[in-house]
Each structure stands twice: as structure tokens, then as C-alpha cells.
Amino acid sequence: MITVSKLAPALGAEIGGIDVAAPVDDATIAAIRAAWLEHLVLRVRGQSVTDPQLLEFSKRFGELDPPGPNPYGKPFLPQHPEMNVISNIKEGGAPIGNLGDGEAIWHADMTYIDNPPKAGLLFSIEIPPKGGDTFWANMYMAYESLPTQLKAAIEGRTAVHDATYNSAGIKRKGYKEVTDPREAPGARHALVKMHPETGRKCLFLGRRRNSYVSGYSLDESEALLDHLWAHATQPEFTFRQEWRVGDLMMWDNRCTLHRREAFDPNARRLMHRTQIKGDWATATPA
Ligand code: OGA
Ligand code: MN
């Protein structure tokens, strides 16, 4: 049986006693799923996993969701288009993966679509000697601890989740720059959502850039969003992942945000990544 040990007060747990590359029985998958719903972010260390093995393991948690459009307009792994590459490495002058070596600002994945993925899995193959840590934040906690006026200010409101830029600030292929957030292309989501599986309410922010809260002037919306983001990303709500080669991280994309620190552009960082289709169609409005 697997072991589960907490990694930080707010969220995150380490899973022990499992080899992701080997066939995993249903009871173990059920135990991992339960730990994932409880702790939001899971880490499995010391893994050695091929792409087909990572795909097999990922599929145990639901249908794979292919990567969103990257800035270069074609899959990084043509033989596995459902797998994404997160890397700053260039081969022959061309990037072999997404997100480069700069900071990736706080975000949840692909919330610019109506049904964003429920889970992300990220497996580290090469890591820089320092920098490039990833942080996750707990959006149940963020919602539950929201000051009363802020809760009231977002009650029944939606926000736009801009599709134009990725979390590294790079424009996605085919999008024009946004000058007015009210007209940003991308899904409109309720700011408070009921988690489809746990039934708990969480704050659903997506990303800050070009966000806009319905029913307010642009200035009011900006001020409100600044308050919400400052509240939601305070250090007490976060867990910091200091990567080792062979770490597999698996997060609940419905009730967390994440960000990544910049690292030395001369260092190499390589991760392979999958994600699982969302289940928002089954959710009850909060
Ligand atoms: C992602 C992501 C952060 C990182 O894969 O969705 O945001 O640490 N990655 O590379
Ligand atoms: Mn991400």
C-alpha cells in the first residue's frame, strides 16, 4: 500500500511505495485519487518513467486532454501529440518545449476554455542546479478565508480568462494583442466554483493578465482583482516544490494555482507533461 505524508500545512503530499512505470492496481489508483482530492498536489519521487508509461499512468485518472496551442503552432513530440514538453532547451535554434526559462506567473492551466483540465502531471527529466522551483496555492483556503466584503463583491460574478498569452507571457499562435480586457478572447467562468468531486467551494481566478470581473467598471474590476490575487497567493496558502530528477507532480487544476520561478538560461530544464480532461459539465453552480 502507498504511504501519504503531508508536504506543507496548506497543501501537497508525498506518495511513497509506488513505481509509476510498473502496472498499478485499481486499489492503489483509488488511494492515489483519494490523496489527490485531499491534498490537491501530490509528489512521487525517484521515478524512472518513459513517455508511454507516463501516458499509461496518466490515463488511469481520466481521459487525456491534449496540450493547448503552443507559441510555435505544432506539437513538441509528434509521436505523442497528447504529451507536452516544458523546457528551455533549444535544438538547432528551435525550442524543444514550452515556457522557456523565465518566470511563469500564477495561473491555472487552460482556464481560457469552458472545460479546463482537472489534473496536470509533470515529470522532471533534467533540472537546473538552482532556480525553477514551482509553487502551488490552495484555492479552497483562499475562498474560505476571504474577507466578507470580498466574498460579497464576487458573489454571482464571472471573470474573463484571456487566451492570448501563456503563463510565460508569450503570445499564443493566432492571437492578437488585447487592449481592453473586457474584450479579451477566452472563457467566462464564475469566480467561485463548486469543485465537481469534493463539493467544496473554491476561488477560481485562472490568471491575472487581461482578467475582468463582470458588472464592474474596468477600474473597479482592476482594484478588486488586485485584492483577490494578493489574498489568494499569500505564502500561507502555498507549497514550494524544489525539484529533483525523477519527481512526478500531479495537481488538481480545479482548486489550485501554480507558478514557476525563473532560472539560469544557460542551465537545462526538461519535463514531460500530461493533463486530464475536466469534468466541469458535472459541476453544480456554487
Ligand atoms: C505547467 C507549468 C511549471 C513548471 O506545466 O503547466 O506551469 O514548473 N509548469 O514548469
Ligand atoms: Mn501551468
Side-chain angles (χ1 to χ4, degrees):
M1 260 286 120
I2 58 163
T3 59
V4 181
S5 13
K6 268 181 87 69
L7 287 166
L11 76 169
E14 179 108 34
I15 301 297
I18 179 186
D19 176 3
V20 169
V24 182
D25 63 44
D26 290 346
T28 303
I29 295 293
I32 296 171
R33 274 187 50 83
W36 171 68
L37 289 174
E38 182 178 348
H39 300 284
L40 288 53
V41 178
L42 301 181
R43 179 170 76 197
V44 196
R45 292 217 123 139
Q47 300 298 301
S48 172
V49 193
T50 64
D51 290 344
Q53 288 165 344
L54 181 56
L55 289 168
E56 272 322 296
F57 181 73
S58 302
K59 280 191 224 161
R60 304 295 296 280
F61 301 96
E63 194 187 337
L64 295 176
D65 203 4
N70 69 48
Y72 316 102
K74 55 176 202 287
F76 291 115
L77 294 172
Q79 66 280 37
H80 298 300
E82 63 281 60
M83 182 170 274
N84 206 347
V85 178
I86 305 297
S87 186
N88 66 322
I89 300 170
K90 290 185 176 162
E91 274 167 16
I96 66 162
N98 227 339
L99 299 186
D101 44 46
E103 184 186 1
I105 52 169
W106 282 114
H107 66 280
D109 294 319
M110 286 176 66
T111 60
Y112 53 86
I113 63 173
D114 287 334
N115 185 29
K118 68 160 96 163
L121 293 94
L122 193 56
F123 177 63
S124 72
I125 300 165
E126 288 185 67
I127 54 160
K130 64 174 172 21
D133 291 355
T134 308
F135 297 71
W136 278 267
N138 181 334
M139 292 301 107
Y140 294 126
M141 266 185 186
Y143 175 74
E144 285 157 11
S145 60
L146 214 52
T148 318
Q149 323 87 281
L150 280 181
K151 255 189 198 163
I154 61 172
E155 172 82 37
R157 306 272 179 178
T158 63
V160 59
H161 293 237
D162 178 34
T164 314
Y165 297 91
N166 72 13
S167 59
I170 303 169
K171 203 141 63 64
R172 293 195 167 86
K173 204 177 168 69
Y175 285 95
K176 290 202 296 284
E177 201 171 326
V178 171
T179 48
D180 185 339
R182 288 170 293 196
E183 284 152 25
R188 272 66 182 161
H189 289 287
L191 275 161
V192 182
K193 284 198 192 254
M194 184 94 92
H195 190 288
E197 290 186 85
T198 64
R200 292 174 65 192
K201 282 184 183 184
C202 53
L203 196 56
F204 197 82
L205 293 175
R207 66 197 58 198
R208 177 66 185 87
R209 184 173 194 161
N210 293 331
S211 185
Y212 165 71
V213 184
S214 61
Y216 288 107
S217 73
L218 197 47
D219 285 351
E220 288 166 342
S221 162
E222 288 292 311
L224 177 54
L225 286 166
D226 285 345
H227 280 298
L228 289 171
W229 278 91
H231 172 82
T233 59
Q234 52 191 290
E236 304 88 273
F237 299 158
T238 70
F239 155 67
R240 176 188 203 129
Q241 157 70 349
E242 295 172 77
W243 290 92
R244 292 186 198 160
V245 168
D247 280 354
L248 175 64
M249 300 300 297
M250 172 174 173
W251 63 96
D252 191 329
N253 191 52
R254 298 163 291 193
C255 54
T256 61
L257 294 172
H258 57 279
R259 76 175 177 96
R260 183 197 73 197
E261 287 186 333
F263 56 96
D264 179 358
N266 296 312
R268 289 165 62 96
R269 188 176 190 268
L270 174 63
M271 310 200 165
H272 281 191
R273 187 187 187 295
T274 57
Q275 58 189 7
I276 311 300
K277 274 211 165 71
D279 53 359
W280 287 109
T282 68
T284 311

